[in-house]
Amino acid sequence: MTLTDTRVDDSYPTRIAGKPEHLPRTHPTVWGAEADGPIDAAALANHEARGYTVVDQLLSPGEIQTYWQELVRMSSGDHRDDERVITEAKTGEVRSIFDVHETSELIAELVRDPRVLDRARQILGSEVYIHQSRVNYMPGFKGTGFYWHSDFETWHAEDGMPAPRAVSCSIALTDNYPFNGGLMVMPGSQRTFVQCAGETPEDNYKSSLKEQRVGVPSEEDITKLAAEYGIDQFTGQAGSALWFDSNVMHGSSNNITPYPRSNIFVVFNSVENALREPFAAIEPRPTFIAGRDSTPLSR
């Protein structure tokens, strides 16, 4: 694939040398309408305002067990030579496995399930493809969290995603409590793009997937956003799903409880928002992290 240099036409400049600023988002959060899918008008309006939606009991108890067994299977064995497997920096335990819709038939079916795919199409107002898929493992006592960040900042800077016309779906396979590292989001923060300082190091993904140091906002920025938007936390039973906009500021804390927190994480991107050349990196990240095949996903 030939990449086109589009960095001169950048609506969301980041990884800058000067002082980062808060820029107003120039694109909608919801692109579709009530007639386009299963989400009603009130829920769509709420998603547009808050940047996220929780769907309870998306999966049945039997499905939860099936997918949990699949996570166990994928995490077993020797992964030392598999770049798609990310381990904890301190313990060496599996932290995430990427590209799972390509390596697991069960997850390939899940991303095409109407309960999932139809919501993605409706929110983005178009056909969609998989930008990224992974399973996240946060074991009891040892699971480390993710610092505050906007996914779109990284996807724009390092992958070449032009606009925040992407939505993530996190499906819980374990119960999410307030105390076992549940995801925190700042409702409404998707309306503000927070620039980040510093250049992108070469092969930054090799370290950032374990602990992100570049492309994260300052403590001052986080304080301002929290004061303006507040903080919500995703809690609920296994089988529930969190849909959230690509530019929502979010993060999670470490899990020091005995209760693990694992999930299937899928990012849908509009086919009308296909990746270009990175806006703030020398080379794009590997395709197992950022898919470049924008062929529409079919059932």
Side-chain angles (χ1 to χ4, degrees):
M1 176 180 289
T2 301
L3 300 178
T4 303
D5 189 349
T6 59
R7 285 175 287 185
V8 295
D9 181 21
D10 187 356
S11 300
Y12 302 97
T14 189
R15 312 287 171 96
I16 62 174
K19 181 176 176 57
E21 298 181 1
H22 293 191
L23 306 179
R25 179 188 181 121
T26 59
H27 296 88
T29 301
V30 173
W31 296 71
E34 182 177 31
D36 298 328
I39 309 173
D40 63 35
L44 283 175
N46 187 66
H47 189 89
E48 174 70 38
R50 301 178 67 81
Y52 76 91
T53 298
V54 176
V55 179
D56 293 324
Q57 299 178 333
L58 180 74
L59 300 182
S60 69
E63 289 174 316
I64 295 167
Q65 184 62 30
T66 298
Y67 287 113
W68 175 254
Q69 291 172 351
E70 181 72 347
L71 261 65
V72 172
R73 181 193 68 80
M74 288 189 290
S75 65
S76 62
D78 187 352
H79 299 293
R80 284 176 295 182
D81 297 325
D82 192 340
E83 196 175 23
R84 295 169 300 187
V85 179
I86 310 302
T87 56
E88 295 283 2
K90 294 182 179 180
T91 66
E93 293 192 29
V94 175
R95 175 179 173 88
S96 301
I97 302 178
F98 282 79
D99 213 24
V100 289
H101 73 290
E102 295 287 357
T103 59
S104 166
E105 291 184 6
L106 282 172
I107 296 178
E109 293 175 0
L110 178 63
V111 301
R112 292 170 171 83
D113 189 302
R115 294 172 294 178
V116 176
L117 182 56
D118 288 355
R119 284 184 168 89
R121 287 170 169 168
Q122 184 179 14
I123 291 171
L124 298 181
S126 69
E127 294 296 324
V128 299
Y129 72 97
I130 302 296
H131 172 71
Q132 182 185 106
S133 70
R134 67 180 189 261
V135 291
N136 292 323
Y137 301 83
M138 183 174 278
F141 299 114
K142 302 176 182 178
T144 56
F146 296 84
Y147 189 72
W148 290 105
H149 65 286
S150 154
D151 288 327
F152 174 66
E153 194 281 340
T154 294
W155 299 342
H156 184 68
E158 299 185 37
D159 300 335
M161 183 178 288
R165 194 175 178 179
V167 65
S168 299
C169 179
S170 176
I171 303 175
L173 296 183
T174 52
D175 291 342
N176 283 264
Y177 303 106
F179 45 74
N180 69 334
L183 192 70
M184 297 177 288
V185 299
M186 295 188 182
S189 61
Q190 81 280 359
R191 297 192 295 269
T192 300
F193 179 77
V194 180
Q195 293 181 315
C196 293
E199 295 184 356
T200 306
E202 186 176 357
D203 291 336
N204 182 51
Y205 73 94
K206 292 182 178 180
S207 60
S208 67
L209 296 179
K210 294 177 182 284
E211 184 179 4
Q212 190 170 356
R213 297 180 181 275
V214 178
V216 294
S218 68
E219 292 183 0
E220 179 183 0
D221 288 324
I222 292 299
T223 301
K224 290 180 179 179
L225 289 174
E228 181 174 359
Y229 298 113
I231 298 174
D232 290 348
Q233 188 172 39
F234 175 44
T235 59
Q237 294 181 331
S240 56
L242 171 67
W243 290 86
F244 63 101
D245 182 81
S246 59
N247 193 49
V248 163
M249 195 62 64
H250 64 285
S252 61
S253 56
N254 295 345
N255 183 12
I256 62 172
T257 75
Y259 308 109
R261 186 179 70 83
S262 298
N263 68 296
I264 299 172
F265 186 87
V266 185
V267 181
F268 296 93
N269 190 27
S270 169
V271 297
E272 299 171 13
N273 193 42
L275 304 187
R276 305 175 186 176
E277 183 173 341
F279 287 84
I282 297 175
E283 295 181 340
R285 296 190 298 176
T287 56
F288 73 85
I289 302 174
R292 291 188 170 273
D293 181 0
S294 57
T295 302
L297 199 63
S298 60
R299 295 177 186 167

